Every structure is written in structure tokens, then in C-alpha cells.
Amino acid sequence: MVPGTAAKGEVIPVKTIVQHKMETGLRTDGEGEVIPRKIINKFICRYGGVVVFSVDLHEAVSANPFFEFSLLATESGRMEFIWKEDGGAVYSLNHDIVVT
């Protein structure tokens, strides 16, 4: 959740969540076989093409990782949210913000 508009110089909240099981590779299935690790291992937020927030994730992060951070609104532009998963899958979402 990100506001669509902001005043120049305003600090705005940015809240993101991705629906993902975050399988740690430490559990076993009903047959006793290890369920392979499959987690979101990186989250990146770009604002106007510049990385403003980035985090590496590991096995201890719970399902559906949620991030909240603050951002200084400086100019109108696109925010890009990118989640990278083990195995190479990439999920992304764009959000345009108008700064007045």
C-alpha cells in the first residue's frame, strides 16, 4: 500500500506484502521426504529507477513476507517492487506516485 499522491518533501509510508509459502527446506512431507527449499530470497524497491530499499531473506522469514518502510517523496515517478525467488522466479509490481 502506497499513496498515489504526496507533497514534495513529505515522508510517506510504504507497505508491501507478497503471498508466498516460504518453504524452508527443513520440513518433510507425509512420506518423510524433505520438501525442497523455495523462498523469496530478495526484495527490492526502486523509486524513479533508484534502489531505495533492498533486503536479503533467509529461511527464518515467515510466509507472506511483509515490509513497511518510509520514503521521502521528491518527484513524481514509478515505484517498482521486485521479489526474487529461489529457482529464478521474479514477481513484480509497479506503482506510480504523483508528487505536487
Side-chain angles (χ1 to χ4, degrees), residues 27-36:
R27 295 185 323 123
T28 56
D29 63 16
E31 306 294 319
E33 298 292 322
V34 174
I35 301 171

Side-chain angles (χ1 to χ4, degrees), residues 22-24 37 39-42 55-62:
M22 299 293 278
E23 192 58 62
T24 65
R37 175 184 141 149
I39 67 170
I40 298 290
N41 58 43
K42 187 153 193 90
V55 62
D56 294 324
L57 305 174
H58 302 278
E59 292 88 349
V61 176
S62 65

